[in-house]
């Protein structure tokens, strides 16, 4: 029995695809017309997941880890080979209309479906018709979405004439015009410029805060995950290998600290301290246990104008996690 606070419950989910295989050469291609050979590929294996109402969870992992497959199962697009899933108390694969009105899946690679000859306004109106949005509620929702997403100038333009960033904003409006309770976002900022990505993240934060919606997000841009998802689930080789806060995951990587130091003009670093110079600023990569000694030498042996200590960039830490045992199922 699912608790009332639980939005998503998945137990021992597995998904195996059958893919065709054959040897190289014309003869093998000809033989495959009569005798096709296949190979089983496991996309995900025995994943358990619980998500509470109103949670924002980031699914992270390297390419081919199984993130999108898991999201498609939870959204009801794929039926798992084994295991069960419940979303808002229902089997998502049943695809009941009353259930579909409560969830939305937005893919950054294809944020807008439908006829490209339609205008954005026509597409939104059709979406509202499909999802039985009353006219009064549609007007209220559209007014808010136009303001928050800045799509007023797009409403009378054909979908085919939109840029990728404009398509993403219009796609979010399409997904949210019927006020879903669960958002499945697959790479929502892929291909967007910095400004559009910032605006998209700000909008999603506001939407979740105002509506209490549950959000499941996949992204290779760790800024998306860090800003939107207090909880992350790391998947690799189709297995869940971490479930918790992002700081707890990155803390497992014993990466060097970055020290930035500005020195007085004409002053050099103490002997033996190696650094990269960049417009009067020195950058030092220092092992964590040597940070205190290095800073002490800098302050004692030279004239320091300013100094800062930073963690390695998040993308660097995640790359190291993906390439080490931290991303290996146990």
């Amino acid at each position: 029995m699912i608790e009332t606070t639980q939005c998503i419950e998945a137990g021992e989910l597995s998904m195996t695809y059958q893919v065709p295989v054959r040897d190289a050469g014309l003869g093998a291609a000809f033989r495959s017309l009569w005798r096709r050979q296949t190979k089983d590929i496991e996309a995900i294996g025995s994943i358990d997941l619980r998500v509470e109402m109103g949670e924002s969870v980031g699914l992270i992992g390297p390419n081919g880890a199984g993130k999108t497959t898991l999201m498609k199962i939870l959204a009801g697009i794929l039926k798992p080979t084994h295991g069960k899933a419940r979303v808002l108390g229902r089997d998502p694969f049943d695809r009941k209309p009353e259930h579909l009105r409560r969830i939305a899946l937005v893919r950054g690679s294809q944020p807008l479906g439908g006829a490209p000859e339609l205008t954005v306004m026509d597409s939104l109106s059709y979406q509202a018709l499909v999802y039985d949005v009353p006219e009064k509620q549609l007007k209220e929702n559209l007014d808010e979405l136009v303001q928050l997403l800045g799509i007023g100038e797009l409403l009378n333009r054909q979908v085919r004439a939109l840029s990728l960033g404009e398509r993403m904003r219009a796609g979010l409006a399409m997904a949210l015009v019927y006020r879903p309770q669960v958002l499945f976002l697959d790479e929502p900022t892929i291909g967007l410029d910095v400004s559009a990505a910032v605006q998209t993240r700000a909008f999603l934060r506001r939407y979740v805060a105002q509506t209490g919606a549950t959000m499941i997000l996949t992204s290779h841009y760790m800024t998306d995950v860090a800003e939107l998802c207090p909880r992350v689930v790391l998947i690799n080789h189709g297995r869940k290998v971490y479930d918790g806060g992002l700081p707890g995951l990155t803390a497992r990587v014993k990466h060097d600290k970055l020290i930035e130091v500005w020195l007085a003009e004409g002053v050099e670093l103490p002997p033996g301290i190696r650094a990269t110079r960049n417009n009067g600023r020195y950058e030092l990569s220092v092992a964590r246990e040597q940070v205190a000694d290095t800073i002490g030498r800098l302050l004692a042996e030279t004239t320091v104008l300013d100094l800062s200590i930073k963690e390695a960039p998040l993308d660097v830490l995640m790359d190291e996690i993906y390439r080490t045992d931290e991303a290996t199922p146990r």
Side-chain angles (χ1 to χ4, degrees), residues 83-102:
K84 294 183 179 180
R86 304 283 286 178
V87 177
L88 295 171
R90 293 178 178 270
D91 180 347
F93 194 70
D94 285 345
R95 307 289 290 172
K96 301 291 186 184
E98 57 269 27
H99 176 71
L100 295 178
R101 294 189 188 102
R102 303 172 69 191

Side-chain angles (χ1 to χ4, degrees), residues 84-236:
K84 294 183 179 180
R86 304 283 286 178
V87 177
L88 295 171
R90 293 178 178 270
D91 180 347
F93 194 70
D94 285 345
R95 307 289 290 172
K96 301 291 186 184
E98 57 269 27
H99 176 71
L100 295 178
R101 294 189 188 102
R102 303 172 69 191
I103 69 170
L105 170 64
V106 181
R107 300 191 64 188
S109 58
Q110 193 179 7
L112 274 174
E117 291 79 15
L118 293 179
T119 66
V120 173
M121 188 64 226
D122 288 338
S123 299
L124 288 167
S125 298
Y126 180 71
Q127 185 86 332
L129 181 65
V130 170
Y131 285 90
D132 287 335
V133 181
E135 186 173 346
K136 180 181 178 182
Q137 183 183 346
L138 173 61
K139 184 180 184 307
E140 293 175 356
N141 293 352
L142 275 180
D143 288 344
E144 183 178 9
L145 290 170
V146 166
Q147 179 182 2
L148 292 176
L149 286 170
I151 59 171
E153 75 282 3
L154 306 181
L155 295 179
N156 295 321
R157 289 171 56 186
Q158 287 182 304
V159 170
R160 67 193 303 172
L162 302 181
S163 68
L164 179 58
E166 291 168 341
R167 281 173 177 266
M168 191 67 238
R169 285 187 287 154
L172 279 172
M174 287 272 289
L176 302 179
V177 72
Y178 56 94
R179 283 293 186 268
Q181 294 173 263
V182 183
L183 297 180
F184 297 102
L185 304 177
D186 189 12
E187 300 284 358
T189 63
I190 190 170
L192 302 186
D193 60 33
V194 173
S195 178
V198 169
Q199 292 173 9
T200 299
R201 288 193 293 269
F203 168 75
L204 290 172
R205 272 197 305 272
R206 287 196 297 269
Y207 181 84
V208 169
Q210 291 174 5
T211 65
T214 303
M215 181 168 66
I216 308 294
L217 175 146
T218 73
S219 181
H220 285 102
Y221 301 132
M222 291 309 301
T223 303
D224 293 348
V225 179
E227 291 190 11
L228 296 173
C229 303
R231 174 184 169 194
V232 296
V233 175
L234 172 60
I235 298 174
N236 199 19

